[in-house]
Amino acid sequence: MSRSTIVLLVILAIIASLGWANYAIVNEKCSRLKSEIEELRSAYVELRGKYDGLQKQFGKEEVSKVVEPSTALTVNWSLIWEKRMQHAIDYLAISPNGKYVVATSGSKIFVLSENGSILWNLDMLDHLLSHDVVPLLISDDGEVWVIDIDGWRLAVVKSGEVILKSEFYGNITFSVVKDIEVSKNGKYIVAGPAGGPVYFYGRNNSKLIKLWEWAPIVDVEDVALSDNGTYIAIGNLDNWITLLKSDGTLLWERKIPYAHIGFIPDSSLMYVIQITDSKTGLISKVGILDTNGRWVIEPFQIDVLASTWKYDHGISVSRDFIFIPEDLAYSNKVYVYDLKEGNLVSIIEVKEEVRDLAATPDGEYIVICDGALRIYLFKMEK
């Protein structure tokens, strides 16, 4: 056998061994994938069985239907205007006086007047380098705070002109921001990145200045600011809630089950949304805490499952009411509860599934966008 033949056979043997090794790796991955698929199929069968059982117990048309209130609805919001947009609207915000509405679609901002006309629009792609932006605040004079979807860059825009632009951490090597909030007076901002400290900023004209940072016990999930920035609430993993003063002083820190936290407008009271598992499935509760961490109103159960979009969008709270979609992105109804009594006081309906909503601090106005490319402005009847 010639030397060249031997070399060729050795090369073929090496190639064959590599092929079999790769085959073994692929085969192992396929086996794991097949096992995972079987687990998913079993979970589906189990859920389908529960669903069929509910159909037999309650009747097909009653499954997934929210129980109607036992008492009459006592507050009404009337439609002021409805505007059909040319783009699907992702997020909304409304000025405290109800005179301005800001809507975002991808990287585009639209600011509407109180009668529904578009005052100006701007594509933020060149300014924030993001295809998706979220409005954080619009002031009574139409100043818009907007942030990119990952929370790395923020801008303030007025009359279509960018008047402030900031990168929070000086670079983008940090984790994405889990939550961020601007005080209603536009002077302070709190940001909580994943795996990092909470940052508190003050605004100085066209700049943001970092005032202090706070190391949470565990990773941050939620942050909230009172209207004037006097109090900062931090929600951490493992149900830790922290309350700080604007100078960074710790007021209290304790374990309280929560899914979302925020401050009631024009007050220092904090609302807490809880989601717990019961024998009948997940249920939502809403309670109110004071600055000492005591329950002013014990958590009461509501008939809808509270859920939020990015940066707290999807739920809105006024001084007296909480506005929650029946099933965010799947239902066309918004349920309104009285914060003091826990009663369902109104149901507001739009044409298609609710994508986002925002209410003024006094609850007089609420703006809603739906899956039919429409924005609606409602006003409370008096």
Side-chain angles (χ1 to χ4, degrees):
M1 184 180 293
S2 67
R3 180 179 297 179
S4 59
T5 302
I6 294 173
V7 171
L8 179 61
L9 289 173
V10 170
I11 292 173
L12 289 173
I14 292 173
I15 293 173
S17 64
L18 289 174
W20 280 110
N22 289 332
Y23 171 79
I25 294 172
V26 171
N27 187 56
E28 181 184 357
K29 290 183 177 179
C30 288
S31 298
R32 287 203 303 266
L33 182 60
K34 184 177 179 181
S35 176
E36 292 173 0
I37 291 172
E38 288 300 324
E39 289 177 4
L40 289 172
R41 183 179 287 113
S42 298
Y44 168 78
V45 171
E46 181 181 355
L47 287 173
R48 183 67 196 186
K50 292 181 179 179
Y51 177 83
D52 291 339
L54 287 172
Q55 283 187 329
K56 292 178 181 178
Q57 184 177 356
F58 298 107
K60 186 174 182 179
E61 69 280 357
E62 295 299 319
V63 176
S64 302
K65 184 177 180 181
V66 175
V67 177
E68 293 300 327
S70 57
T71 57
L73 302 180
T74 56
V75 186
N76 292 313
W77 278 262
S78 299
L79 181 65
I80 303 299
W81 54 258
E82 169 189 329
K83 187 172 185 65
R84 205 277 196 187
M85 303 292 287
Q86 298 301 311
H87 306 270
I89 300 303
D90 302 313
Y91 302 101
L92 293 169
I94 188 169
S95 62
N97 58 13
K99 290 187 175 181
Y100 298 100
V101 170
V102 58
T104 61
S105 176
S107 61
K108 296 181 175 62
I109 301 174
F110 301 90
V111 172
L112 291 76
S113 70
E114 56 189 333
N115 61 16
S117 60
I118 296 178
L119 298 175
W120 57 266
N121 65 86
L122 181 66
D123 195 327
M124 295 299 295
L125 183 60
D126 293 335
H127 301 283
L128 296 182
L129 306 178
S130 174
H131 290 278
D132 293 286
V133 296
V134 185
L136 299 174
L137 176 75
I138 182 165
S139 66
D140 282 343
D141 61 355
E143 190 176 81
V144 178
W145 290 69
V146 65
I147 193 166
D148 74 279
I149 196 72
D150 291 322
W152 287 329
R153 300 177 181 88
L154 174 144
V156 179
V157 188
K158 188 171 183 180
S159 301
E161 179 183 354
V162 177
I163 60 175
L164 182 154
K165 188 164 63 173
S166 178
E167 281 188 8
F168 285 115
Y169 316 115
N171 61 68
I172 59 174
T173 60
F174 284 75
S175 301
V176 297
V177 171
K178 295 301 291 288
D179 196 17
I180 187 168
E181 191 161 331
V182 181
S183 62
K184 294 297 186 292
N185 60 13
K187 293 183 178 180
Y188 302 101
I189 187 167
V190 60
V198 173
Y199 295 88
F200 189 68
Y201 296 84
R203 179 183 178 181
N204 182 10
N205 296 320
S206 61
K207 293 182 179 179
L208 291 182
I209 300 173
K210 189 176 79 171
L211 302 178
W212 48 263
E213 60 184 69
W214 176 267
I217 294 176
V218 288
D219 284 357
V220 174
E221 286 290 307
D222 210 349
V223 295
L225 266 176
S226 60
D227 283 358
N228 56 8
T230 303
Y231 297 101
I232 301 96
I234 303 170
N236 308 288
L237 287 174
D238 299 331
N239 290 318
W240 279 101
I241 294 181
T242 303
L243 186 69
L244 306 168
K245 292 183 69 175
S246 58
D247 61 0
T249 302
L250 175 65
L251 293 177
W252 54 263
E253 195 165 41
R254 53 186 282 215
K255 275 200 168 187
I256 301 174
Y258 82 95
H260 174 57
I261 56 175
F263 284 95
I264 295 174
D266 303 325
S267 81
S268 57
L269 297 176
M270 185 196 315
Y271 69 86
V272 178
I273 296 177
Q274 301 176 334
I275 297 180
T276 57
D277 199 356
S278 69
K279 293 180 179 179
T280 57
L282 294 175
I283 60 172
S284 295
K285 293 182 178 181
V286 180
I288 297 177
L289 291 171
D290 64 14
T291 54
N292 295 311
R294 296 188 298 247
W295 290 112
V296 176
I297 296 179
E298 292 283 342
F300 57 85
Q301 185 174 336
I302 57 178
D303 295 324
V304 293
L305 186 62
S307 59
T308 59
W309 288 129
K310 191 74 171 179
Y311 306 132
D312 302 340
H313 284 263
I315 288 177
S316 192
V317 175
S318 69
R319 288 194 291 263
D320 300 311
F321 306 106
I322 181 167
F323 302 81
I324 305 179
E326 179 187 33
D327 193 356
L328 187 58
Y330 291 98
S331 170
N332 69 327
K333 295 180 181 179
V334 173
Y335 279 56
V336 186
Y337 289 88
D338 183 337
L339 280 176
K340 295 180 177 63
E341 303 294 333
N343 296 324
L344 177 63
V345 297
S346 189
I347 299 176
I348 303 171
E349 295 188 35
V350 293
K351 286 184 169 65
E352 292 293 338
E353 72 280 2
V354 175
R355 295 173 63 91
D356 196 18
L357 74 166
T360 54
D362 59 8
E364 183 174 3
Y365 295 96
I366 176 171
V367 61
I368 302 172
C369 63
D370 72 2
L373 308 184
R374 283 167 168 79
I375 299 175
Y376 310 81
L377 183 68
F378 294 86
K379 184 177 181 179
M380 182 167 53
E381 297 177 3
K382 295 182 179 179

